[in-house]
Amino acid sequence: MKTKGAISNFIEKYYLHFNSAALVDAAKGYEDQLNKGSKMLVSLAGAMSTAELGKIFAEMIRQDKVQIISCTGANLEEDIMNLVAHSHYKRVPNYRDLTPQQEWDLLEKGLNRVTDTCIPEEEAFRRLQEHIVKIWKDAEAAGERYLPHEYMYKMLLSGVLEEYYEIDLKDSWMYAAAEKNLPIVCPGWEDSTMGNIFASYVLKGELKASTMKSGIEYMTFLADWYTENSENGIGFFQIGGGIAGDFPICVVPMLYQDMERTDTPFWSYFCQISDSTTSYGSYSGAVPNEKITWGKLDIDTPKFIIESDATIVAPLIFAYLLDM
């Protein structure tokens, strides 16, 4: 067993109560899952790729600390955008003070703001569009269909983007995932920038909608993967809320109730990092125990909720798992 590093020792010594204690408990619970042979799903919501989580998440992938990912279309594409256009991003630390006119000025400069960071439209969106559209059209011409992330993997592994790289390749989690052909589930991909671009080509009659595999096909893919990999349990580590978490966690009750496979095991671990406060009718703000009533978690499933900023919490948990 590796010796823990300075970051791990620091949080074990000083993170003793409240959300900090939950962070340590969740990290140890995650490690316990891996040590007993369980696999782990990590879900990425929000703008974690633009927050450059890839700088540590890519190493999690390389060291086999995550076996499947569920993410939004934004996270799928924004890690690659950061890879090819990093120097063109603009940080706006005073984003809370911007007037509507200043926001409009950013738009006119082709800078789309995500909290304190602006993504450059020309260098990021259009740079990817040029290459991904060719891959979509080539697939259609060959009578082939793929899932959204599979097209992204093809683009990354083809080398067509190499001339644009602006960060160390080891800091791209999508490239690390592509190298391993890691399973990805990307529900609701249509609402991403690349999803919108694909839809525009369908509207123009240049692509067929069927060239892109659907969300239902993602669910059936996940159902097969879960069935084949749940012998020692599969944990669920949720960063943020939304569809990236809602979609994959439902595979268990679907298999158990709708497919009547009553031997389907529940998720063997659950942790959510969220700053969504507990509130009426909120999924992201629901406490983990509510998931028991939906047939997702068992009574004894280790459950953790860390009410904090995921950009602070996730790197610390990953550092603990990587013995940093």
Side-chain angles (χ1 to χ4, degrees), residues 55-262:
K55 296 186 82 168
I56 192 166
F57 190 46
E59 189 62 22
M60 287 281 290
I61 294 168
R62 283 190 289 270
Q63 292 196 25
D64 298 316
K65 307 289 186 184
V66 51
Q67 284 71 46
I68 185 169
I69 294 166
S70 173
C71 70
T72 57
N75 277 300
L76 192 73
E77 66 194 17
E78 286 175 14
D79 178 82
I80 307 174
M81 290 175 185
N82 181 59
L83 174 64
V84 302
H86 181 77
S87 69
H88 300 276
Y89 279 58
K90 177 180 173 61
R91 187 157 178 261
V92 188
N94 64 324
Y95 66 91
R96 290 182 177 87
D97 304 324
L98 296 178
T99 64
Q101 182 61 52
Q102 289 171 315
E103 301 276 24
W104 183 263
D105 292 344
L106 289 172
L107 170 66
E108 291 199 314
K109 292 175 184 175
L111 294 168
N112 301 130
R113 185 170 69 80
V114 180
T115 311
D116 70 346
T117 304
C118 294
I119 301 175
E121 181 171 337
E122 196 60 38
E123 293 81 5
F125 302 148
R126 303 309 165 197
R127 190 166 282 176
L128 291 196
Q129 178 179 353
E130 176 187 349
H131 296 288
I132 197 70
V133 170
K134 183 180 186 307
I135 293 170
W136 292 338
K137 288 186 174 181
D138 287 349
E140 184 165 304
E144 297 170 348
R145 305 174 63 243
Y146 298 99
L147 292 161
H149 77 277
E150 293 176 317
Y151 285 111
M152 295 294 196
Y153 280 0
K154 285 178 181 292
M155 179 171 62
L156 283 168
L157 297 176
S158 72
V160 295
L161 298 178
E162 286 181 10
E163 63 180 293
Y164 308 118
Y165 289 170
E166 295 193 351
I167 64 170
D168 193 323
L169 195 55
K170 70 178 178 59
D171 291 338
S172 165
W173 74 260
M174 270 293 289
Y175 192 83
E179 281 194 308
K180 281 186 173 286
N181 195 26
L182 198 74
I184 289 182
V185 177
C186 184
W189 173 79
E190 296 81 1
D191 81 347
S192 67
T193 299
M194 291 302 120
N196 291 171
I197 288 170
F198 182 84
S200 76
Y201 280 87
V202 174
L203 286 167
K204 289 184 286 188
E206 295 182 33
L207 283 169
K208 297 175 184 173
S210 58
T211 298
M212 189 67 62
K213 288 189 176 181
S214 70
I216 294 298
E217 287 166 292
Y218 260 133
M219 181 57 85
T220 56
F221 163 77
L222 177 60
D224 289 339
W225 186 91
Y226 192 95
T227 301
E228 293 164 8
N229 288 274
S230 57
E231 183 179 0
N232 294 316
I234 302 173
F236 198 103
F237 187 82
Q238 181 174 341
I239 301 176
I243 195 171
D246 302 357
F247 183 93
I249 204 168
C250 292
V251 75
V252 169
M254 185 197 76
L255 287 169
Y256 192 103
Q257 299 167 16
D258 303 320
M259 293 297 294
E260 299 181 353
R261 297 182 189 171
T262 53

Side-chain angles (χ1 to χ4, degrees), residues 7-18:
I7 297 172
S8 302
N9 289 330
F10 178 88
I11 65 172
E12 283 196 293
K13 182 174 181 179
Y14 296 108
Y15 282 32
L16 302 175
H17 300 283
F18 316 135

